């Protein structure tokens, strides 16, 4: 176990920072205060001159859009990144956080958004990784003590969903998230940072989490809570700090802050949360381009059936791990389905691999554009033509010189891809324009059914609008779109119909007229049966 | 033969997946291991029935003796492969270790224990350099150890003057491998067992073992959990190097000479043993016992085929096919999980 005493490390000024006069003054100091934090990455200023603080026994919310700098800031506090400038005060004393281990020793603990668990290890081995109890003078691991202290910890936290000796890979995503949280709380924490902790949790698990946060607050721990869900912020946070484009924007008391105001500050302009799709077609009920019947996979999906109509955007909503991406992968043949049938334009098709899907006009745009959608080191032209290269080769397989350029230029123009030329390296384009290159690739291949998985992830707000416009254009031109998105406003704004998934099943279908966030969340959290299924 | 192994596996693993029970993967891992174990039993039974000369103590002890070197190398490699690394330098590295032992004992006429320790230290040093290249220079393990494989091969030839070094004048050296502390059992087999126990303890009971699995499972997560993964990776390669050194001493003692031309190809046999034993090349999974079984399968196969008078050339072909089958069943299992 770690000593409760904080190790105070010598303050080493860096860059342009100035040593504060306040050193040593601890009375009335916030628990954690950061000032003038800046951080840049090649080509991006992730944070510039950001400040905020959290007091003992306080929960503050840190909100901002994707790319606002929340994650970078949290990574600096947890020692994963080093700041370029600025000062971090812990209990009034400036500290230099050297690395993840050091942050833990200081009592700054982070619950990561992505799963940061070792799936082949047990719950206990994960929670105490790096702090294993040992025997025989440190020579051997003390597995018994490890499991005992984990059982004690889980008991103290009231977590009954899994045992210390369970292998993490056998737990559901939600339970894995609970392991992460248990791990964070196993430290003698002064400050706990939670990065969208509820994105995979069901209602009852979220309640458990809120109870844990309440316990932390009562014990005088400061909690930094990052979330997009305004209802949650209202319930558990005391103050809300807003970041935008790497800059500090404002801090408000949660009690008096209006949701509208917070969103406006986050986005930087008025947005209409109640925006709903325009020109929803009602005449296409019988014009089904894709029908999926009783699709199941070995691991997650159970009996999924739905129809995609011509010229519509069908939104897929759900929590992390609900099975939306898995559904897309099963449809395009990237994962094998154990049961189910797929019909394209009324005809049953067999899709054994992604190439078959493309043949039937189904294109999949992965949420992981960079590793699965693009050849980043190649030029825009190559990427656009990648899926349709067969059209530009002679019978022997040699590329016809210069062929296809017309196609590339056509899509660069029609999708308004901002690139110096079609021969610019794709890596150097912005996220939004990269996304458009992927779209162009599938359009060049004559795909009529496009599956977008998180189409605006990692794309800034301006470019988002353009992607939205593009999706609307595409359906107006008779394409049909399945859009998987975790951002409720996005789903509500674009989807003609919304399918909600939970625990590998479709739990609800909502028409755009009757849709609101509460209704979606209600369907999305109907997975209690999944927890019971041991 | 195929019936025996396929029936219990499909039933039980499908069941494990369906229930998603805790321990399901434990079960699957055991199954892969018992699959290898079953294969070994089937091979033993087959060859025993096929030839009366197979199941004799002399032959079994010969099989164990021929397993010793590959087995010791494979134990070290198991540790590296579970981190999702690879070590290609163990074959020629082993040769370099035996050449160094030869130089110390024959050319410099130093005491026996210095020759033995020198050989092992050479292995440790190579492993350390591999580890530094992987951790500090961030070279892919395949490249770092491929380079070390060539360097060791070259150095072994240079240091020995491309001539074998004979230990015939070194008192007691041969006994390291061929003496019998336990009557009837060559010492090389005893060393195989002891190194196996050592590898088992390292993997299962020590911090290093825990971090080997953690790194292989999710290196980034291990790092941000505050574990200095670079340091532990250096240690893993160094420990693997120690196993290489021990193998170098054992093979020199068994042949009563250091053969500088030998060694290339041993790394692939050792890696094959590890994979047949159910250790995943993707990291995070594996066991020492599985590796031992894998190494035995290969020796039994080669020995049995030889006793049945199958030509050496064809023996090699059969071993290749066994590796294909082993890796295929492994990937089949993984696909099933996905």
């Amino acid at each position: 176990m770690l000593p409760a005493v904080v190790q105070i490390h010598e303050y080493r000024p860096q860059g342009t920072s100035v040593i504060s006069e306040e050193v040593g003054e601890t009375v009335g100091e916030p628990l954690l205060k950061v000032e003038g934090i800046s951080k840049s990455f090649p080509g991006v200023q992730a944070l510039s001159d950001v400040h905020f603080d959290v007091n003992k026994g306080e929960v503050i919310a840190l909100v901002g859009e994707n790319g606002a700098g929340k994650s970078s800031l949290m990574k600096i506090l947890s020692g994963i990144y080093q700041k370029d400038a600025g000062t971090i005060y812990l209990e009034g004393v400036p500290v230099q956080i050297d690395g993840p281990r050091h942050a833990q020793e200081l009592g700054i603990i982070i619950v990561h958004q992505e799963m940061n668990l070792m799936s082949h290890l047990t719950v206990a081995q994960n929670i105490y990784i790096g702090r294993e109890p040992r025997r025989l003078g440190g020579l051997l691991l003390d597995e018994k003590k490890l499991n005992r202290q984990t059982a004690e910890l889980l008991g103290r936290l009231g977590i009954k969903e899994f045992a210390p000796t369970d292998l993490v890979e056998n737990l559901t995503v939600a339970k894995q998230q609970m392991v992460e949280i248990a791990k964070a709380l196993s430290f003698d924490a002064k400050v706990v940072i939670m990065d969208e902790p509820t994105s995979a949790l069901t209602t009852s698990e979220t309640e458990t989490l809120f109870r844990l946060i309440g316990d932390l607050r009562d014990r005088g721990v400061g909690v930094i809570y990052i979330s997009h869900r305004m209802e949650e912020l209202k319930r558990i946070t005391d103050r809300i700090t807003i970041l935008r484009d790497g800059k500090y924007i404002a801090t408000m008391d949660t009690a008096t802050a209006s949701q509208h105001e917070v969103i406006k500050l986050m986005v930087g302009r008025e947005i209409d949360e109640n925006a709903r799709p325009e020109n929803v077609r009602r005449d296409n009920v019988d014009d089904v381009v894709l029908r999926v019947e009783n699709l199941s996979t070995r691991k997650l999906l159970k009996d999924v059936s739905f129809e995609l109509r011509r010229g519509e955007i069908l939104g897929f909503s759900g929590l992390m791990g609900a099975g939306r991406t898995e559904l897309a992968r099963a449809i395009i043949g990237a994962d094998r389905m154990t049961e189910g049938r797929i019909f394209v334009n009324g005809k049953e098709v067999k899709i054994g691999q992604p190439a078959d899907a493309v043949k039937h006009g189904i294109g999949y745009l992965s949420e992981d554009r960079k590793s699965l959608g693009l050849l980043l080191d190649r030029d825009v032209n190559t990427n656009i033509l990648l899926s349709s290269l067969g059209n530009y080769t002679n019978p022997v397989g040699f590329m016809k010189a210069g062929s296809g350029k017309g196609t590339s230029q056509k899509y660069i123009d029609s999708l308004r891809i901002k690139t110096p030329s079609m021969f610019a390296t794709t890596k150097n384009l912005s996220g939004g324009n990269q996304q458009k290159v992927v779209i162009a690739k599938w359009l060049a291949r004559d795909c009529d059914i496009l599956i977008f998985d998180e189409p605006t992830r990692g794309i800034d707000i301006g470019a988002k609008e353009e992607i939205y416009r593009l999706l609307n254009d595409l359906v107006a031109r008779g394409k049909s779109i399945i859009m998987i998105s975790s951002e409720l406003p996005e789903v509500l704004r674009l989807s003609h119909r919304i399918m909600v998934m939970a625990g590998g099943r479709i739990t609800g279908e909502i028409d755009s007229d009757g849709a609101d966030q509460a209704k979606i969340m209600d369907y999305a959290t109907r997975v209690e049966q999944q927890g019971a299924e041991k | 033969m195929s019936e025996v192994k396929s029936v219990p596996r499909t039933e039980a693993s499908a069941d494990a997946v369906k229930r998603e029970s805790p321990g399901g993967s434990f079960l699957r891992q055991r199954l892969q291991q018992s699959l290898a174990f079953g294969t070994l039993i089937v091979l033993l039974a087959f060859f025993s029935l096929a030839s009366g000369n197979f199941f004799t103590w002399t032959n079994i002890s010969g099989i164990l003796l021929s397993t010793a070197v590959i087995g010791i190398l494979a134990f070290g490699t198991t540790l590296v492969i579970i981190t999702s690394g690879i070590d290609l330098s163990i074959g020629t590295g082993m040769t370099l270790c035996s050449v160094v032992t030869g130089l110390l004992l024959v050319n410099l006429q130093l005491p026996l224990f210095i020759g033995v320790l020198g050989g092992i230290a050479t292995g440790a040093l190579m492993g350390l350099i591999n580890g530094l290249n992987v951790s500090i220079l961030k070279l892919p393990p395949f490249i770092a150890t491929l380079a070390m494989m060539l360097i060791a091969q070259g150095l072994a030839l240079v240091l020995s003057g491309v001539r074998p070094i004979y230990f015939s004048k070194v008192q007691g050296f041969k006994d390291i491998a061929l003496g019998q502390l336990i009557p009837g059992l060559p010492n090389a087999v005893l060393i195989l067992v002891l190194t196996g126990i050592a590898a088992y303890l390292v993997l299962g009971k020590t911090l290093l073992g825990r971090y080997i699995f953690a790194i292989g499972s999710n290196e980034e997560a291990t790092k941000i959990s505050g574990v200095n993964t670079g340091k532990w990776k250096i240690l893993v390669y160094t420990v693997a190097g120690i196993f290489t050194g021990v193998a170098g001493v054992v093979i020199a003692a068994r042949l009563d000479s250091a053969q500088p031309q030998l060694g290339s190809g041993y790394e692939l046999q050792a890696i094959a043993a590890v994979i047949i034993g159910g250790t995943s090349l993707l990291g995070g999974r594996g066991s020492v016992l599985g590796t031992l079984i894998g190494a035995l399968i290969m020796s039994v196969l080669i020995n049995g085929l030889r006793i049945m008078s199958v030509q050496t050339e064809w023996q090699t072909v059969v071993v290749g096919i066994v590796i294909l089958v082993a890796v295929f069943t492994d990937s089949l299992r993984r696909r099933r999980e996905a």
Side-chain angles (χ1 to χ4, degrees), chain A residues 6 26 36 89 109-110 159 188 202 241 248 252 319 352 376 410 463:
Chain A
V6 204
T26 50
Y89 299 93
I109 309 302
I110 186 163
I159 297 174
D188 220 351
T202 64
T241 292
Y248 172 88
M252 352 173 127
L319 302 175
L376 283 175
K410 185 177 101 192

Side-chain angles (χ1 to χ4, degrees), chain B residues 33-338:
Chain B
Q33 222 171 68
S34 52
L35 176 69
F37 188 66
T39 310
L40 180 59
I41 299 294
V42 169
L43 282 177
L44 287 173
F46 175 77
F47 287 126
S48 303
L49 291 176
S51 163
N53 298 329
F54 181 79
F55 209 77
T56 59
W57 178 244
T58 331
N59 192 47
I60 294 295
S61 136
I63 289 175
L64 291 174
L65 183 60
S66 67
T67 311
V69 172
I70 292 292
I72 296 167
L73 287 177
F75 290 147
T77 315
T78 303
L79 307 182
V80 173
I81 290 181
I82 297 176
T83 66
S84 79
I86 191 88
D87 191 345
L88 298 175
S89 68
I90 50 178
T92 58
M94 171 186 82
T95 306
L96 179 60
C97 294
S98 60
V99 167
V100 169
T101 301
L103 292 178
L104 293 174
L105 292 182
V106 178
N107 297 28
L108 301 177
Q109 302 196 325
L110 292 167
L112 189 64
F113 78 94
I114 290 185
V116 170
L117 287 181
I120 295 174
T122 307
L125 182 66
M126 281 188 300
L128 177 68
I129 295 170
N130 280 334
L132 291 170
N133 286 339
V134 170
S135 277
I136 310 288
L137 300 188
K138 313 240 182 276
L139 298 181
F142 187 93
I143 305 297
T145 60
L146 180 73
M148 181 56 74
M149 171 176 126
L150 296 172
I151 291 168
Q153 188 171 26
L155 281 181
L157 293 170
V158 170
L159 290 177
S160 64
V162 206
R163 276 185 305 273
I165 304 171
Y166 292 99
F167 292 97
S168 35
K169 284 179 197 142
V170 182
Q171 199 76 45
F173 184 72
K174 202 164 73 170
D175 292 341
I176 292 175
L178 301 175
Q180 299 188 350
L181 283 179
I182 300 171
L185 198 71
N187 286 344
V189 178
L190 192 64
I191 296 174
L192 174 72
V193 172
L194 292 176
T195 50
I197 292 173
Y200 174 81
L201 290 176
V202 166
L203 206 51
K205 305 284 177 194
T206 68
L207 212 52
L208 175 62
R210 175 61 40 82
Y211 294 153
I212 285 173
F213 280 107
I215 289 170
S217 190
N218 187 341
E219 182 168 351
E220 196 53 34
T222 310
K223 195 189 282 174
I224 65 172
S225 297
V227 176
N228 186 343
T229 50
K231 186 182 87 181
W232 291 101
K233 269 160 59 179
I234 293 172
L235 191 57
V236 173
Y237 282 91
T238 309
V239 169
I242 292 173
F243 282 88
T244 305
V246 172
V249 172
V250 170
I251 196 168
R254 207 183 87 197
L255 304 173
D256 208 10
S257 62
Q259 301 282 348
Q261 312 272 20
L262 198 84
S264 176
Y266 276 68
E267 67 284 335
L268 297 182
Q269 288 192 48
I271 292 167
V274 175
I275 292 164
I276 292 172
T279 294
S280 166
L281 275 176
L282 298 178
R285 282 180 212 284
S287 73
V288 172
L289 186 61
T291 295
L292 179 63
I293 293 170
L296 284 171
I297 286 178
M298 300 225 308
S299 315
V300 167
L301 202 58
I302 290 173
N303 176 282
L305 293 172
R306 191 180 304 147
I307 285 189
M308 289 178 67
S309 314
V310 175
Q311 289 168 343
T312 326
E313 296 77 12
W314 282 106
Q315 294 170 16
T316 318
V317 173
V318 171
V319 171
I321 292 170
V322 167
I323 294 171
L324 277 184
V325 172
V327 177
F328 176 68
T329 52
D330 180 55
S331 76
L332 208 61
R333 184 177 50 125
R334 258 203 306 275
R335 243 180 284 167
R336 219 169 270 237
E337 281 170 36

Side-chain angles (χ1 to χ4, degrees), chain A residues 69-110:
Chain A
K70 294 168 297 179
S71 292
S72 301
L73 185 55
M74 294 308 109
K75 284 185 173 160
I76 286 172
L77 286 176
S78 57
I80 296 169
Y81 293 164
Q82 295 298 314
K83 57 184 160 40
D84 296 342
T87 316
I88 300 168
Y89 299 93
L90 188 64
E91 298 179 313
V93 182
V95 290
Q96 171 72 29
I97 300 169
D98 298 326
R101 186 42 137 337
H102 186 202
Q104 291 170 2
E105 285 166 1
L106 290 169
I108 302 173
I109 309 302
I110 186 163

Side-chain angles (χ1 to χ4, degrees), chain A residues 397-514:
Chain A
F398 284 99
M399 295 293 301
K400 290 184 210 154
S403 69
K405 276 188 199 161
T407 312
S408 289
Q409 196 57 51
K410 185 177 101 192
Y411 288 113
I412 289 173
D413 294 341
S414 70
L415 301 183
R416 278 177 281 171
I417 300 174
K418 269 185 224 126
T419 173
S421 90
M422 71 172 78
F423 301 110
T425 308
T426 314
K427 193 163 54 182
N428 299 331
L429 268 54
S430 72
N433 283 301
Q434 287 180 358
Q435 182 68 294
K436 289 184 188 174
V437 172
V438 186
I439 296 173
K441 178 174 80 174
W442 292 118
L443 294 180
R445 189 66 173 79
D446 290 327
C447 285
D448 284 330
I449 301 169
L450 296 168
I451 306 177
F452 286 86
D453 200 346
E454 305 287 358
T456 60
R457 173 162 294 173
I459 289 176
D460 60 59
I461 186 77
K464 251 183 202 177
E465 288 296 328
E466 212 171 328
I467 297 286
Y468 293 164
R469 213 165 28 239
L470 193 54
L471 294 187
N472 281 325
D473 279 358
L474 289 171
V475 290
R477 280 194 259 156
K479 307 279 181 196
S480 310
I481 291 176
I482 291 175
M483 183 188 69
I484 299 169
S485 172
S486 297
E487 292 185 39
L488 293 181
E490 180 171 294
V491 171
L492 287 168
R493 178 169 164 184
L494 293 176
S495 310
H496 300 186
R497 285 183 304 139
I498 300 164
M499 312 297 288
V500 187
M501 291 188 73
R505 298 171 195 275
I506 288 183
T507 49
E509 176 184 339
I510 311 172
D511 205 68
S512 70
D513 293 339

